[in-house]
Amino acid sequence: MRILVMGCDGYMGWPTCMHFSSKGHEVIGIDNYFKRYTALELDCEPIVLNPNLVERTRIWEGLTGNKIGIYIGDVTDYHFLKSIFIDHKPDVVIHYAEQPSAPYSMLNREKAAFTLQNNLISTLNIAYAVKEVNTQCHIIKLGTMGEYGTPNIDIEEGWFDIEHKGRTEKFLFPRQASSLYHTTKIQDTDMLWYYVRTWGLRVTDLMQGPVYGIFTDEGKQDSRLMTNFHYDEIFGTVLNRFVVQAVVGHPLTIYGSGTQIRGYINIKDSLACVYLSAMHPPEHGKLRIFNQITETFSVNELAEKVYAVGKKAGYSVEIKHYDNPRVETEDHYYNPKYTGLMEMGLHPNYLTDEVVEELLCLVERNKGCINKNSILRGVKWNK
Ligand code: USQ
Protein backbone atom coordinates (compact mmCIF):
# COMPACT_ATOMS: atom_id res chain seq x y z
CA MET A 1 0.00 0.00 0.00
CA ARG A 2 1.00 3.63 -0.40
CA ILE A 3 0.75 5.24 3.03
CA LEU A 4 0.86 8.98 3.62
CA VAL A 5 1.70 9.91 7.21
CA MET A 6 0.88 13.49 8.09
CA GLY A 7 2.74 14.68 11.16
CA CYS A 8 5.54 12.18 10.60
CA ASP A 9 8.00 13.82 13.00
CA GLY A 10 5.80 13.37 16.07
CA TYR A 11 5.62 10.88 18.91
CA MET A 12 3.39 8.58 16.86
CA GLY A 13 4.30 9.78 13.38
CA TRP A 14 7.88 8.60 13.00
CA PRO A 15 7.27 5.16 14.61
CA THR A 16 4.28 4.76 12.27
CA CYS A 17 6.45 5.48 9.23
CA MET A 18 8.98 2.83 10.27
CA HIS A 19 6.26 0.33 11.19
CA PHE A 20 4.56 0.43 7.79
CA SER A 21 7.91 0.61 5.99
CA SER A 22 9.18 -2.49 7.81
CA LYS A 23 6.15 -4.38 6.55
CA GLY A 24 6.92 -3.54 2.95
CA HIS A 25 4.59 -0.59 2.34
CA GLU A 26 5.59 2.54 0.46
CA VAL A 27 5.66 5.37 3.00
CA ILE A 28 5.60 9.12 2.46
CA GLY A 29 5.73 11.48 5.43
CA ILE A 30 4.93 15.16 5.83
CA ASP A 31 5.78 17.42 8.74
CA ASN A 32 6.35 21.14 9.32
CA TYR A 33 8.44 20.63 12.49
CA PHE A 34 5.79 22.43 14.55
CA LYS A 35 6.56 20.39 17.64
CA ARG A 36 10.32 20.90 17.35
CA TYR A 37 9.93 24.67 16.98
CA THR A 38 7.40 24.87 19.79
CA ALA A 39 9.58 22.80 22.09
CA LEU A 40 12.37 25.30 21.42
CA GLU A 41 10.05 28.28 21.87
CA LEU A 42 8.65 26.98 25.15
CA ASP A 43 11.89 25.45 26.48
CA CYS A 44 10.50 21.93 26.63
CA GLU A 45 12.57 19.74 24.35
CA PRO A 46 12.34 15.93 24.51
CA ILE A 47 14.74 13.93 26.62
CA VAL A 48 16.75 12.84 23.59
CA LEU A 49 17.10 15.19 20.62
CA ASN A 50 16.12 13.25 17.51
CA PRO A 51 17.96 13.63 14.21
CA ASN A 52 15.95 15.55 11.63
CA LEU A 53 13.63 13.60 9.35
CA VAL A 54 15.93 13.42 6.36
CA GLU A 55 18.70 12.09 8.56
CA ARG A 56 16.35 9.58 10.19
CA THR A 57 15.23 8.26 6.80
CA ARG A 58 18.90 7.87 5.83
CA ILE A 59 19.58 5.85 8.99
CA TRP A 60 16.45 3.77 8.35
CA GLU A 61 17.42 3.08 4.75
CA GLY A 62 20.93 2.09 5.84
CA LEU A 63 19.45 -0.37 8.30
CA THR A 64 16.65 -1.87 6.21
CA GLY A 65 17.20 -0.85 2.61
CA ASN A 66 13.71 0.74 2.67
CA LYS A 67 13.16 4.32 1.57
CA ILE A 68 10.74 6.70 3.28
CA GLY A 69 9.89 9.85 1.31
CA ILE A 70 9.83 13.07 3.31
CA TYR A 71 8.23 16.44 2.59
CA ILE A 72 8.80 19.33 4.98
CA GLY A 73 5.78 21.61 4.79
CA ASP A 74 2.45 22.56 6.25
CA VAL A 75 -0.68 20.53 5.50
CA THR A 76 -2.84 23.58 6.17
CA ASP A 77 -1.42 24.79 2.82
CA TYR A 78 -3.89 23.06 0.51
CA HIS A 79 -1.87 23.35 -2.69
CA PHE A 80 1.15 21.78 -1.03
CA LEU A 81 -0.92 18.89 0.28
CA LYS A 82 -2.85 18.36 -2.93
CA SER A 83 0.34 18.20 -4.99
CA ILE A 84 1.59 15.37 -2.76
CA PHE A 85 -1.70 13.53 -3.20
CA ILE A 86 -1.41 13.95 -6.97
CA ASP A 87 2.19 12.72 -7.03
CA HIS A 88 1.74 9.73 -4.72
CA LYS A 89 -1.98 8.78 -4.84
CA PRO A 90 -1.99 7.30 -1.32
CA ASP A 91 -4.21 4.35 -0.49
CA VAL A 92 -4.26 5.42 3.15
CA VAL A 93 -3.65 8.80 4.75
CA ILE A 94 -2.92 8.84 8.48
CA HIS A 95 -3.63 12.20 10.07
CA TYR A 96 -1.40 13.03 13.05
CA ALA A 97 -0.69 16.58 11.88
CA GLU A 98 -2.61 18.24 14.68
CA GLN A 99 -1.54 20.36 17.59
CA PRO A 100 -1.78 17.53 20.16
CA SER A 101 -1.46 19.25 23.52
CA ALA A 102 -4.32 20.24 25.82
CA PRO A 103 -2.11 22.55 27.94
CA TYR A 104 -0.74 24.27 24.81
CA SER A 105 -4.28 25.04 23.68
CA MET A 106 -4.98 26.63 27.08
CA LEU A 107 -1.84 28.83 27.23
CA ASN A 108 -3.42 31.94 25.71
CA ARG A 109 -5.74 33.14 22.93
CA GLU A 110 -3.01 32.98 20.31
CA LYS A 111 -2.25 29.32 21.01
CA ALA A 112 -5.97 28.52 21.17
CA ALA A 113 -6.49 30.16 17.77
CA PHE A 114 -3.53 28.27 16.34
CA THR A 115 -4.91 24.97 17.65
CA LEU A 116 -8.31 25.62 16.09
CA GLN A 117 -6.92 26.80 12.80
CA ASN A 118 -4.31 24.07 12.48
CA ASN A 119 -6.48 21.15 13.54
CA LEU A 120 -9.57 22.09 11.59
CA ILE A 121 -7.94 23.30 8.37
CA SER A 122 -5.60 20.30 8.20
CA THR A 123 -8.60 17.98 8.49
CA LEU A 124 -10.57 19.98 5.94
CA ASN A 125 -7.65 19.84 3.51
CA ILE A 126 -7.42 16.06 3.75
CA ALA A 127 -11.12 15.71 3.03
CA TYR A 128 -10.73 17.92 -0.05
CA ALA A 129 -7.55 16.23 -1.27
CA VAL A 130 -9.17 12.82 -1.01
CA LYS A 131 -12.30 14.01 -2.80
CA GLU A 132 -10.42 15.80 -5.58
CA VAL A 133 -7.57 13.35 -6.16
CA ASN A 134 -8.46 9.86 -4.98
CA THR A 135 -11.82 9.10 -3.38
CA GLN A 136 -10.68 5.51 -2.77
CA CYS A 137 -8.18 6.73 -0.16
CA HIS A 138 -8.92 5.63 3.40
CA ILE A 139 -8.54 8.43 5.97
CA ILE A 140 -7.32 7.35 9.40
CA LYS A 141 -7.57 10.20 11.88
CA LEU A 142 -6.32 10.15 15.44
CA GLY A 143 -9.20 11.21 17.63
CA THR A 144 -9.11 11.15 21.40
CA MET A 145 -11.03 9.56 24.25
CA GLY A 146 -11.16 13.08 25.68
CA GLU A 147 -13.86 13.87 23.12
CA TYR A 148 -16.33 11.93 25.25
CA GLY A 149 -15.29 13.52 28.53
CA THR A 150 -16.34 11.61 31.63
CA PRO A 151 -20.11 11.09 31.32
CA ASN A 152 -22.11 9.34 33.99
CA ILE A 153 -23.03 6.58 31.52
CA ASP A 154 -21.09 3.86 29.69
CA ILE A 155 -19.08 5.19 26.72
CA GLU A 156 -19.74 3.34 23.47
CA GLU A 157 -17.35 3.10 20.50
CA GLY A 158 -18.32 6.29 18.75
CA TRP A 159 -22.00 5.67 18.13
CA PHE A 160 -25.09 5.84 20.27
CA ASP A 161 -28.64 4.61 19.77
CA ILE A 162 -31.19 7.07 21.09
CA GLU A 163 -34.82 6.43 21.72
CA HIS A 164 -36.90 9.57 21.98
CA LYS A 165 -40.66 9.70 22.31
CA GLY A 166 -41.02 6.22 20.87
CA ARG A 167 -38.69 6.73 17.87
CA THR A 168 -35.04 5.66 17.55
CA GLU A 169 -31.98 7.04 15.76
CA LYS A 170 -28.23 6.42 15.73
CA PHE A 171 -26.02 9.45 16.51
CA LEU A 172 -22.40 10.10 17.34
CA PHE A 173 -21.93 9.42 21.03
CA PRO A 174 -22.52 12.65 23.02
CA ARG A 175 -19.28 14.49 23.58
CA GLN A 176 -18.07 17.21 25.93
CA ALA A 177 -14.36 17.86 26.13
CA SER A 178 -12.36 19.50 28.87
CA SER A 179 -9.85 21.54 26.87
CA LEU A 180 -9.88 23.58 23.69
CA TYR A 181 -7.57 21.01 22.09
CA HIS A 182 -10.00 18.18 22.86
CA THR A 183 -12.83 20.35 21.54
CA THR A 184 -11.09 20.68 18.17
CA LYS A 185 -11.00 16.88 18.01
CA ILE A 186 -14.78 16.79 18.42
CA GLN A 187 -15.05 19.33 15.63
CA ASP A 188 -12.77 17.20 13.42
CA THR A 189 -14.94 14.17 13.94
CA ASP A 190 -18.06 16.16 13.12
CA MET A 191 -16.42 17.56 10.01
CA LEU A 192 -15.34 14.16 8.72
CA TRP A 193 -18.74 12.68 9.49
CA TYR A 194 -20.26 15.49 7.41
CA TYR A 195 -18.02 14.68 4.42
CA VAL A 196 -18.60 10.95 4.84
CA ARG A 197 -22.33 11.63 4.51
CA THR A 198 -21.91 14.14 1.71
CA TRP A 199 -19.09 12.75 -0.41
CA GLY A 200 -19.06 9.11 0.63
CA LEU A 201 -15.51 9.21 2.04
CA ARG A 202 -14.27 6.29 4.11
CA VAL A 203 -12.86 7.22 7.47
CA THR A 204 -11.56 5.52 10.60
CA ASP A 205 -11.49 7.73 13.69
CA LEU A 206 -9.33 6.30 16.46
CA MET A 207 -10.31 7.62 19.89
CA GLN A 208 -7.00 7.23 21.62
CA GLY A 209 -6.25 7.64 25.32
CA PRO A 210 -2.95 9.00 26.68
CA VAL A 211 -0.09 6.97 25.21
CA TYR A 212 3.01 5.94 27.15
CA GLY A 213 6.32 4.37 26.31
CA ILE A 214 9.11 4.88 23.84
CA PHE A 215 10.20 1.46 22.68
CA THR A 216 8.82 0.11 19.43
CA ASP A 217 10.22 -2.87 17.52
CA GLU A 218 11.67 -0.63 14.81
CA GLY A 219 12.87 2.23 17.07
CA LYS A 220 14.75 -0.19 19.29
CA GLN A 221 17.16 -1.10 16.52
CA ASP A 222 19.11 2.17 16.69
CA SER A 223 18.82 4.85 19.39
CA ARG A 224 18.77 7.53 16.69
CA LEU A 225 15.49 6.08 15.44
CA MET A 226 13.69 6.31 18.78
CA THR A 227 10.64 8.51 18.97
CA ASN A 228 10.62 11.80 20.83
CA PHE A 229 9.97 11.37 24.52
CA HIS A 230 8.42 14.40 26.19
CA TYR A 231 8.06 14.68 29.94
CA ASP A 232 7.27 18.38 30.17
CA GLU A 233 3.94 19.91 31.11
CA ILE A 234 3.08 20.83 27.51
CA PHE A 235 3.74 17.68 25.49
CA GLY A 236 4.42 14.97 28.08
CA THR A 237 1.65 12.52 28.90
CA VAL A 238 1.15 11.63 32.52
CA LEU A 239 2.92 8.25 32.83
CA ASN A 240 5.98 9.37 30.87
CA ARG A 241 6.11 12.43 33.13
CA PHE A 242 5.90 10.39 36.32
CA VAL A 243 8.80 8.15 35.25
CA VAL A 244 11.06 11.15 34.63
CA GLN A 245 9.96 12.76 37.89
CA ALA A 246 10.85 9.58 39.77
CA VAL A 247 14.34 9.56 38.28
CA VAL A 248 15.16 13.23 38.93
CA GLY A 249 13.67 13.28 42.42
CA HIS A 250 10.76 15.59 41.56
CA PRO A 251 7.54 14.73 43.43
CA LEU A 252 5.08 12.91 41.17
CA THR A 253 2.71 15.68 40.07
CA ILE A 254 -0.77 14.36 40.76
CA TYR A 255 -3.32 16.98 39.77
CA GLY A 256 -6.06 17.32 42.38
CA SER A 257 -7.30 14.18 44.10
CA GLY A 258 -5.82 11.91 41.41
CA THR A 259 -9.08 10.01 41.11
CA GLN A 260 -9.47 11.03 37.44
CA ILE A 261 -9.64 7.86 35.33
CA ARG A 262 -8.51 7.61 31.73
CA GLY A 263 -7.93 4.81 29.24
CA TYR A 264 -4.22 4.25 28.50
CA ILE A 265 -2.29 2.53 25.75
CA ASN A 266 1.31 1.47 25.11
CA ILE A 267 2.86 3.11 22.03
CA LYS A 268 3.45 -0.38 20.56
CA ASP A 269 -0.28 -1.04 20.68
CA SER A 270 -1.05 2.36 19.17
CA LEU A 271 1.00 1.35 16.13
CA ALA A 272 -0.69 -2.03 15.98
CA CYS A 273 -4.14 -0.39 16.07
CA VAL A 274 -3.31 2.01 13.25
CA TYR A 275 -1.85 -0.85 11.23
CA LEU A 276 -4.89 -3.08 11.77
CA SER A 277 -7.18 -0.21 10.79
CA ALA A 278 -5.23 0.37 7.58
CA MET A 279 -5.31 -3.31 6.64
CA HIS A 280 -9.07 -3.57 7.27
CA PRO A 281 -10.59 -0.40 5.81
CA PRO A 282 -14.26 0.44 6.21
CA GLU A 283 -16.46 0.61 3.15
CA HIS A 284 -17.13 3.88 1.36
CA GLY A 285 -19.55 6.27 3.02
CA LYS A 286 -18.71 4.93 6.44
CA LEU A 287 -17.25 6.61 9.51
CA ARG A 288 -15.87 3.81 11.67
CA ILE A 289 -14.88 4.65 15.22
CA PHE A 290 -12.77 2.63 17.65
CA ASN A 291 -11.82 3.45 21.22
CA GLN A 292 -8.06 3.00 21.17
CA ILE A 293 -7.16 2.08 24.75
CA THR A 294 -6.26 -1.20 26.40
CA GLU A 295 -6.87 -0.57 30.12
CA THR A 296 -8.02 2.15 32.48
CA PHE A 297 -6.26 3.67 35.50
CA SER A 298 -6.75 6.55 37.87
CA VAL A 299 -3.87 9.00 38.13
CA ASN A 300 -3.32 7.71 41.68
CA GLU A 301 -2.94 4.16 40.39
CA LEU A 302 -0.32 5.28 37.86
CA ALA A 303 1.57 7.16 40.55
CA GLU A 304 1.48 4.14 42.86
CA LYS A 305 2.84 1.94 40.10
CA VAL A 306 5.74 4.29 39.37
CA TYR A 307 6.32 4.72 43.10
CA ALA A 308 6.56 0.95 43.69
CA VAL A 309 8.80 0.20 40.70
CA GLY A 310 10.92 3.30 41.36
CA LYS A 311 11.43 2.37 45.01
CA LYS A 312 12.46 -1.14 44.03
CA ALA A 313 15.01 0.33 41.64
CA GLY A 314 16.46 2.48 44.43
CA TYR A 315 14.87 5.87 43.74
CA SER A 316 13.40 7.93 46.57
CA VAL A 317 10.05 8.65 44.99
CA GLU A 318 7.64 11.14 46.54
CA ILE A 319 3.98 11.47 45.59
CA LYS A 320 2.41 14.91 45.87
CA HIS A 321 -1.06 16.28 45.16
CA TYR A 322 -1.03 19.68 43.46
CA ASP A 323 -4.01 21.99 43.03
CA ASN A 324 -5.52 20.79 39.78
CA PRO A 325 -4.56 23.33 37.09
CA ARG A 326 -7.22 21.87 34.79
CA VAL A 327 -10.97 22.12 34.91
CA GLU A 328 -11.91 18.45 34.89
CA THR A 329 -14.11 16.20 36.97
CA GLU A 330 -12.01 14.25 39.46
CA ASP A 331 -14.56 11.84 40.95
CA HIS A 332 -16.52 10.26 38.19
CA TYR A 333 -17.98 7.11 36.67
CA TYR A 334 -15.88 5.73 33.80
CA ASN A 335 -16.78 2.69 31.78
CA PRO A 336 -15.71 2.93 28.14
CA LYS A 337 -16.12 0.08 25.70
CA TYR A 338 -12.93 -0.86 23.81
CA THR A 339 -13.45 -4.24 22.21
CA GLY A 340 -13.46 -3.28 18.51
CA LEU A 341 -9.71 -3.25 17.95
CA MET A 342 -9.21 -6.44 19.94
CA GLU A 343 -11.86 -8.14 17.80
CA MET A 344 -9.84 -7.02 14.78
CA GLY A 345 -6.71 -8.70 16.18
CA LEU A 346 -5.02 -6.43 18.72
CA HIS A 347 -3.06 -8.30 21.42
CA PRO A 348 -2.42 -5.67 24.11
CA ASN A 349 0.89 -4.96 25.80
CA TYR A 350 -0.33 -4.07 29.27
CA LEU A 351 1.32 -1.72 31.75
CA THR A 352 3.44 -4.17 33.71
CA ASP A 353 6.23 -3.41 36.16
CA GLU A 354 8.69 -4.46 33.44
CA VAL A 355 7.36 -1.75 31.13
CA VAL A 356 7.85 0.88 33.83
CA GLU A 357 11.33 -0.54 34.63
CA GLU A 358 12.36 -0.32 30.97
CA LEU A 359 11.27 3.31 30.86
CA LEU A 360 13.11 4.09 34.10
CA CYS A 361 16.31 2.64 32.60
CA LEU A 362 15.98 4.74 29.44
CA VAL A 363 15.42 7.88 31.48
CA GLU A 364 18.28 7.05 33.85
CA ARG A 365 20.67 6.77 30.87
CA ASN A 366 19.65 10.24 29.73
CA LYS A 367 19.24 11.82 33.15
CA GLY A 368 21.79 14.52 32.39
CA CYS A 369 19.57 15.95 29.62
CA ILE A 370 16.47 16.48 31.75
CA ASN A 371 15.28 20.06 32.07
CA LYS A 372 13.61 20.18 35.48
CA ASN A 373 12.13 23.62 34.74
CA SER A 374 9.87 22.16 32.09
CA ILE A 375 8.17 19.73 34.49
CA LEU A 376 5.81 22.26 36.06
CA ARG A 377 5.40 25.56 34.30
CA GLY A 378 1.95 26.40 35.65
CA VAL A 379 -0.47 26.37 32.72
CA LYS A 380 -3.89 26.92 34.25
CA TRP A 381 -7.25 26.39 32.57
CA ASN A 382 -8.85 29.17 34.63
CA LYS A 383 -6.16 31.81 34.81
N1 USQ B 1 -2.30 14.57 35.03
C1 USQ B 1 -1.80 14.64 36.32
N2 USQ B 1 -0.51 15.05 36.48
C2 USQ B 1 0.29 15.39 35.43
C3 USQ B 1 -0.22 15.32 34.12
C4 USQ B 1 -1.52 14.90 33.97
O1 USQ B 1 -2.48 14.34 37.29
O2 USQ B 1 1.45 15.75 35.66
C5 USQ B 1 -3.67 14.09 34.81
C6 USQ B 1 -4.54 15.05 34.03
O3 USQ B 1 -5.14 16.01 34.88
C7 USQ B 1 -5.52 14.10 33.34
C8 USQ B 1 -4.71 12.83 33.14
O4 USQ B 1 -3.60 12.92 34.01
O5 USQ B 1 -6.58 13.82 34.20
C9 USQ B 1 -4.21 12.64 31.72
O6 USQ B 1 -3.45 13.78 31.35
P1 USQ B 1 -2.37 13.75 30.18
O7 USQ B 1 -1.62 15.04 30.24
O8 USQ B 1 -1.59 12.50 30.20
O9 USQ B 1 -3.28 13.65 28.88
P2 USQ B 1 -4.17 14.74 28.13
O10 USQ B 1 -3.81 16.13 28.46
O11 USQ B 1 -5.60 14.36 28.32
O12 USQ B 1 -3.77 14.54 26.61
C10 USQ B 1 -3.06 13.39 26.14
C11 USQ B 1 -2.41 13.74 24.80
C12 USQ B 1 -3.49 14.06 23.78
C13 USQ B 1 -4.49 12.91 23.72
C14 USQ B 1 -5.04 12.60 25.10
C15 USQ B 1 -5.93 11.39 25.15
O13 USQ B 1 -1.53 14.84 24.96
O14 USQ B 1 -2.89 14.31 22.52
O15 USQ B 1 -5.54 13.26 22.85
O16 USQ B 1 -3.95 12.32 25.99
S1 USQ B 1 -7.25 11.57 26.33
O17 USQ B 1 -6.69 12.05 27.59
O18 USQ B 1 -7.91 10.32 26.47
O19 USQ B 1 -8.14 12.57 25.79
Side-chain angles (χ1 to χ4, degrees), residues 100 144-146 181-182 208-210 238 241 253 255 299 326 328:
T144 165
M145 287 298 289
Y181 152 73
H182 288 97
Q208 185 165 250
V238 61
R241 280 167 62 64
T253 55
Y255 295 162
V299 176
R326 305 183 179 196
E328 62 183 355

Side-chain angles (χ1 to χ4, degrees), residues 123-188:
T123 305
L124 178 76
N125 284 354
I126 296 173
Y128 264 88
V130 168
K131 174 181 178 265
E132 292 184 349
V133 181
N134 177 15
T135 49
Q136 302 298 314
C137 180
H138 172 201
I139 300 172
I140 299 180
K141 185 193 71 105
L142 252 279
T144 165
M145 287 298 289
E147 293 185 34
Y148 303 122
T150 50
N152 200 30
I153 56 173
D154 291 358
I155 297 172
E156 301 301 323
E157 295 208 66
W159 297 96
F160 198 50
D161 294 319
I162 293 196
E163 194 188 322
H164 183 61
K165 295 185 178 169
R167 303 180 70 80
T168 55
E169 177 63 278
K170 188 177 203 153
F171 288 104
L172 285 169
F173 192 88
R175 289 153 304 147
Q176 45 186 12
S178 65
S179 80
L180 193 271
Y181 152 73
H182 288 97
T183 302
T184 64
K185 307 292 284 189
I186 295 175
Q187 294 169 318
D188 282 351

